[in-house]
Amino acid sequence: MAETTFYSLLGDLENYLNDQRDTGVQRLEVDRAVLAELAKEPTIDPVEALAVETAGVPENFQSLEAIAEHVLSCRSCSLCQTRTNPVFGEGCTDSPDILFVGEGPGASEDAQGRPFVGKAGQLLTKMIEAMGYKREQVFITNIIKCCPPNHRSPLPEEMEICLPYLRQQIEMIQPKVVVGLGATAIKGLLGKTAGITRLRGTWQEYQGIKLMPTFHPSYLLRDPSKKKIVWQDLQLVLKALGREAPAKGK
Ligand code: URA
């Protein structure tokens, strides 16, 4: 069974609250004792702290290959201690129509070193194909490049440390449109206060590139009724690219 840690509990709680909010719940009763427990800082293992470099991710890569190489041996945050394979991203790097940004690798991605290859990834592939593209014609990556332990969401500090990779990937790949998948991707791209429920389906901008926020495929697996609005968001993307989705079955 997966080990339960402070961060995994916090991640579960965050996922639960996001789900509640996304289904329209606006108020929840919370026990004061639970809040007090959550407010306690976890103690950091000094050995774990030592294993992480303090230098951070360079801001001056000269090529995508250089970024990919750095990602493979990155030790800039403690996720390097629990990941199996970092996940750089994959697809067309020569100004593709779309660059999809997810949250971070899950267990399947960690095992294979490739983005979106688990259940949510299979759904993302179907969405890409429904838009009239092959997976290899778009670029797919994540806010963070290493899988967090115990299925928890990335921590804000992990996102901050890892973001220079994504910023430089986008700068070099120059996609025509970025599609941000889910709450974490949108927070990473647009800042702490950006909410997916409010922003989905509305054009935003990231590094001068059009950004469309929409729900994450794993949320669609939990609530398939949301597929319809995500499809509307993706139609807006196609429209901005001067394209139409092919008729079903083509
Ligand atoms: N979920 C993500 O956000 N990214 C992946 O690569 C896989 C699942």
Side-chain angles (χ1 to χ4, degrees), residues 102-106 109 115-116 120 142 216:
E103 172 176 312
E109 292 74 24
F116 280 99
N142 285 300
H216 193 285

Side-chain angles (χ1 to χ4, degrees), residues 87 102-106 109 114-118 120-121 141-142 181 216 218:
V87 180
E103 172 176 312
E109 292 74 24
R114 295 180 53 211
F116 280 99
V117 288
T141 190
N142 285 300
L181 300 167
H216 193 285
S218 7

